Amino acid sequence: MYAVEFEAPIKDGIVRIPKDYHNLYENRKVRVFIVPMKKINKKVPFNPKNFFGAGSIKKDEIDNYIQSSKDEWDNKF
């Protein structure tokens, strides 16, 4: 799979694709993900517990999840 990432404003519900990518995806069906950009407050230090709850999950739980995900992919190929 080939993907590109870029930042773009949305105005009146329209996303403007940068000129560099116009010809790349002309007349093709694509999947679009919209991730809102947050302004970073540099005065507040990074707290990993606020990042998707990662700080509250035990390492064993993470390892088991990674292994089960890997097993699912191994069985598909």
Side-chain angles (χ1 to χ4, degrees):
M1 178 171 78
Y2 178 74
V4 295
E5 178 181 341
F6 57 86
E7 293 180 17
I10 299 175
K11 185 175 180 181
D12 298 326
I14 298 172
V15 177
R16 302 283 183 200
I17 296 176
K19 289 181 181 180
D20 293 346
Y21 304 116
H22 281 197
N23 293 332
L24 185 62
Y25 293 109
E26 191 69 27
N27 296 321
R28 293 185 65 193
K29 188 174 182 178
V30 298
R31 180 167 295 162
V32 177
F33 296 88
I34 297 177
V35 181
M37 303 292 295
K38 290 184 179 178
K39 291 184 179 180
I40 298 173
N41 184 350
K42 293 183 180 181
K43 294 180 183 177
V44 178
F46 175 74
N47 182 353
K49 290 184 178 181
N50 293 335
F51 189 71
F52 297 109
S56 63
I57 299 173
K58 296 179 183 176
K59 182 183 181 309
D60 291 342
E61 292 177 74
I62 295 170
D63 290 342
N64 288 337
Y65 173 77
I66 291 170
Q67 186 60 47
S68 68
S69 297
K70 180 184 177 297
D71 292 343
E72 286 179 23
W73 280 102
D74 287 343
N75 292 333
K76 290 185 180 188
F77 298 103

